[in-house]
Amino acid sequence: MKFFIFDIVQSSSHEYIVNRLNPSFLNKRTNKQNMASTGLLVISNFKQTPQTLKAIEKYVHSLYVHINVPGSVTPVPSWGRFISQLYVDGATLLTSCEKLNMNILVGPLKQQGTFDSLRLKPIDMIFSDARCTEVCEQLRQQLKIEKPPIYLADDAVVTDLCEHQQAKPLDKLQVYENVVLGGTFDRIHLGHKILLTQAVLRACSRLVVGVTTQEMTKSKILNELILPVEQRISELREFLQEIDSTLHYEIVPIDDPYGPTNSDPNMDMIVVSSETLRGGEKINEIRAKNNLKLLDIYCIDLVENSDGKGPKESKISSSNARIELLGTRLRQPEYHTNLPSDIYIIGLTGNIASGKSKMAQRFQSLGATVMDCDKIAHEIYEPGQVCYEQIIQYFGRSILDNGRIDRSKLGAAVFSNPKELERLNDIVWPELLKEVKRRIQGLPIIPGEIKIVILEAAVLLKAGWDKEVHEVWSMLVPLDEAIRRVIVRNNLTETAARDRLASQLTNRELVARSHVVFSSQWEPEFTQKQAEKAWNMLKEELQQKQLQRKLNL
């Protein structure tokens, strides 16, 4: 078979044509104007998969894959290893388009090549690694795609799929009426897709999926970043309906490791990973006690993570995906008309002992101007300053030490008494904000440049200052780690440390109101990498804003 690497261009008549290109030229091509947002790839030749994916990855954001199996497909589960390998190869090969979402269709395998039940997002383009015109035209008509298919090879169909079917003697090739599995399924990733696909391949009627609720995810790494269970269920249903809409899906939230398996008599098989195999065995022990039929267990191997550096796990996992979110944008900033255009203000916040000050120092070394609201508050507490007399008048002179306000005495008076803390905040916060604004306005500005200011403020969100900054960046550490740090740093008892933290926002509340989050719970080098990732992202965005501003002049 002759296989070519092509460039996909749009002609003046808006018909897509294909030109053979030098591969090195294709690798340098970065023009996104001709990119189809969603593509469908018809695979007939497994050996050509690397070249096929490389040829089209620059032109799609999402990719469905149809395995063009010749003849009848019996048994369907025999394609499980092939599909898993295809997912792994795709994740390995698609390096230049990190967010490309590839879903491999199972429904057509079950229906022996018919496409009546497909429920896919609108598709812009069909690609095929062989000239299988009948299949491609059938897909084009069924999915109502205007543009003609793009054939990545000149030859007629010469398939090698059957020799790569890869079923092994120990594989369970039986299909079952009712299959069940469970998990967190936070931000569906490669490992999830493989696990879910193995379940779909082995189900012929009903698939039950238990999705853990917040109650069951408290011990997970960066659990504050786990999506709400309703959103995870919705994304899971969408994925399953896309790969096979012929099954009946019951996707239910579960508050314990067993969910409906300990009571539903109409279950036949459970799919687990090597990590959760013991859980599957425990489920059968419970079913035996409840006089329910034991489940066949199908166990799949974990997918190794090639980037298991720093705190990341050695397997593909949602925990790794959440770690990857640190230092990236969780949501886009809102536009505030009251803020300056030549100064970009980042509100850096977080609870006590979360590492705010050290993170501010990192940004200062990268080029930011840092304003420490805690230090500024110290200054307005000084004798003769605006807050001094008001605080003394309300809290009395017992909080003084040699005529100055002793912050440890003041802290002891307010942190265990919410009303007293509220009164202190009412005195300090308005005056502190006025002073911060005055200092920002006095900063020297270089014409044509945007100055980045990091406003380090533990009170930022509670004081409602998120409207006074362009965006909010927050520091997170697990509660137990924060308590340990406070005990050591402030020489407090555990009870006193817990009282301090109880008066502050939870990590989940911080995440909900932040645009970027960091965590200092690991080695300082990894926290530094988070800072650099966020800083580089922001600098690039501001450079784009400056360029756009010049173009509009």
Side-chain angles (χ1 to χ4, degrees):
M1 167 176 283
K2 295 180 180 178
F3 188 90
F4 303 98
I5 294 187
F6 297 93
D7 183 31
I8 304 168
V9 298
Q10 194 170 20
S11 68
S12 57
S13 62
H14 303 288
E15 290 295 323
Y16 279 75
I17 61 176
V18 179
N19 295 329
R20 297 177 191 176
L21 286 177
N22 184 309
S24 63
F25 178 83
L26 183 60
N27 290 337
K28 294 176 182 177
R29 183 176 176 85
T30 57
N31 186 356
K32 300 291 185 181
Q33 292 180 350
N34 300 316
M35 176 179 281
S37 61
T38 304
L40 189 152
L41 172 62
V42 179
I43 286 184
S44 302
N45 298 279
F46 182 73
K47 290 179 182 177
Q48 301 296 343
T49 301
Q51 297 97 312
T52 302
L53 293 175
K54 280 294 183 183
I56 67 175
E57 68 168 327
K58 293 180 183 294
Y59 305 99
V60 291
H61 290 301
S62 297
L63 183 66
Y64 296 108
V65 176
H66 167 58
I67 303 170
N68 186 31
V69 179
S72 61
V73 182
T74 306
V76 173
S78 65
W79 292 94
R81 289 182 179 272
F82 177 91
I83 292 175
S84 296
Q85 190 60 51
L86 196 55
Y87 269 126
V88 172
D89 289 349
T92 304
L93 291 164
L94 300 177
T95 55
S96 68
C97 191
E98 294 180 0
K99 295 185 179 179
L100 188 143
N101 181 36
M102 186 173 81
N103 291 342
I104 301 172
L105 305 180
V106 175
L109 286 176
K110 293 183 175 181
Q111 297 183 304
Q112 299 188 6
T114 61
F115 308 110
D116 297 339
S117 64
L118 288 180
R119 295 185 185 178
L120 310 179
K121 296 183 182 72
I123 293 173
D124 302 286
M125 185 68 66
I126 294 177
F127 305 89
S128 177
D129 64 1
R131 191 165 287 279
C132 45
T133 54
E134 183 177 345
V135 171
C136 290
E137 285 301 325
Q138 187 181 352
L139 280 165
R140 182 186 174 199
Q141 294 298 322
Q142 179 69 33
L143 300 171
K144 297 180 173 57
I145 301 171
E146 295 182 4
K147 304 176 183 68
I150 291 179
Y151 300 104
L152 303 175
D154 284 346
D155 296 355
V157 179
V158 179
T159 182
D160 68 352
L161 294 182
C162 290
E163 63 185 88
H164 293 281
Q165 198 167 346
Q166 296 181 327
K168 293 185 177 181
L170 294 178
D171 285 349
K172 291 182 182 294
L173 302 183
Q174 181 182 346
V175 294
Y176 300 81
E177 285 289 321
N178 304 282
V179 176
V180 63
L181 75 162
T184 304
F185 299 109
D186 180 37
R187 297 176 174 86
I188 296 175
H189 56 65
L190 171 65
H192 292 146
K193 291 183 179 183
I194 291 175
L195 180 72
L196 291 162
T197 298
Q198 298 304 322
V200 168
L201 284 166
R202 288 162 176 78
C204 60
S205 179
R206 180 177 70 134
L207 180 63
V208 180
V209 187
V211 182
T212 56
T213 61
Q214 182 178 331
E215 188 63 30
M216 284 192 66
T217 60
K218 290 179 179 178
S219 63
K220 290 187 175 291
I221 294 173
L222 295 171
N223 62 81
E224 307 88 352
L225 294 176
I226 295 176
L227 297 172
V229 66
E230 297 81 8
Q231 184 175 347
R232 286 181 277 134
I233 288 176
S234 175
E235 292 178 359
L236 195 56
R237 187 179 302 280
E238 180 180 289
F239 170 75
L240 291 169
Q241 289 283 4
E242 286 186 348
I243 66 169
D244 183 6
S245 63
T246 66
L247 294 177
H248 171 66
Y249 295 109
E250 294 179 15
I251 308 175
V252 296
I254 56 174
D255 296 314
D256 61 64
Y258 313 112
T261 60
N262 60 8
S263 59
D264 189 337
N266 299 316
M267 288 184 174
D268 306 307
M269 200 259 283
I270 185 169
V271 177
V272 299
S273 70
S274 54
E275 187 178 56
T276 59
L277 175 58
R278 178 64 191 116
E281 294 169 344
K282 180 65 176 177
I283 283 171
N284 269 342
E285 293 172 13
I286 295 174
R287 289 180 69 87
K289 290 179 181 178
N290 294 340
N291 296 317
L292 296 172
K293 177 179 65 175
L294 299 187
L295 305 178
D296 281 359
I297 298 177
Y298 182 71
C299 181
I300 69 166
D301 294 329
L302 295 172
V303 182
E304 292 185 3
N305 175 33
S306 59
D307 182 26
K309 299 176 182 178
K312 291 183 183 178
E313 298 175 325
S314 59
K315 62 175 182 176
I316 298 288
S317 69
S318 295
S319 295
N320 287 349
R322 291 192 294 276
I323 290 172
E324 280 293 322
L325 290 175
L326 298 173
T328 68
R329 206 176 283 300
L330 300 180
R331 56 185 59 85
Q332 289 299 317
E334 303 81 8
Y335 178 69
H336 299 305
T337 56
N338 60 306
L339 297 177
S341 59
D342 51 1
I343 299 176
Y344 199 86
I345 308 169
I346 304 288
L348 179 63
T349 191
N351 289 331
I352 184 173
S354 60
K356 296 184 299 296
S357 296
K358 288 185 178 179
M359 183 60 88
Q361 291 171 14
R362 289 184 173 95
F363 289 124
Q364 188 170 36
S365 68
L366 290 169
T369 297
V370 173
M371 290 193 178
D372 185 339
C373 286
D374 195 45
K375 290 181 179 178
I376 298 173
H378 277 211
E379 295 174 19
I380 64 175
Y381 277 22
E382 288 295 310
Q385 295 300 313
V386 63
C387 290
Y388 180 82
E389 289 299 333
Q390 294 182 60
I391 293 173
I392 300 303
Q393 184 176 357
Y394 184 82
F395 290 98
R397 305 190 68 82
S398 62
I399 62 171
L400 296 179
D401 184 12
N402 294 324
R404 287 181 157 179
I405 294 174
D406 186 323
R407 288 171 62 85
S408 62
K409 292 180 180 179
L410 181 59
V414 300
F415 280 118
S416 59
N417 189 323
K419 288 186 177 180
E420 297 292 82
L421 180 59
E422 184 178 355
R423 177 57 187 144
L424 177 64
N425 293 338
D426 288 342
I427 295 171
V428 175
W429 286 353
E431 299 301 331
L432 179 57
L433 181 60
K434 287 180 186 176
E435 179 62 18
V436 167
K437 286 184 174 182
R438 185 188 68 78
R439 296 190 185 195
I440 289 176
Q441 290 171 358
L443 290 173
I445 302 298
I446 300 175
E449 292 188 7
I450 299 177
K451 180 182 286 291
I452 300 174
V453 172
I454 300 291
L455 186 64
E456 181 194 341
V459 304
L460 185 89
L461 295 175
K462 278 199 166 186
W465 294 356
D466 45 337
K467 302 293 189 298
E468 306 295 338
V469 298
H470 290 86
E471 53 184 297
V472 176
W473 292 5
S474 293
M475 296 295 301
L476 308 175
V477 289
L479 178 60
D480 289 346
E481 173 63 12
I483 291 170
R484 186 193 67 79
R485 292 181 183 182
V486 172
I487 291 172
V488 173
R489 190 188 71 179
N490 296 54
N491 194 27
L492 296 177
T493 64
E494 181 177 338
T495 300
R498 287 186 180 277
D499 287 343
R500 290 272 179 111
L501 286 159
S503 68
Q504 304 190 350
L505 296 176
T506 66
N507 282 349
R508 202 169 288 275
E509 289 172 324
L510 285 171
V511 169
R513 299 176 65 181
S514 300
H515 302 94
V516 177
V517 297
F518 312 95
S519 182
S520 63
Q521 61 183 292
W522 297 289
E523 294 298 321
E525 294 79 10
F526 186 68
T527 313
Q528 177 68 27
K529 288 181 180 179
Q530 298 171 47
E532 291 171 357
K533 185 193 296 186
W535 181 261
N536 292 337
M537 172 193 70
L538 179 62
K539 290 289 287 185
E540 183 176 345
E541 290 177 353
L542 294 181
Q543 286 171 4
Q544 291 295 324
K545 284 185 179 181
Q546 286 177 291
L547 178 61
Q548 189 62 45
R549 192 181 297 173
K550 290 178 181 178
L551 292 174
N552 292 337
L553 291 177

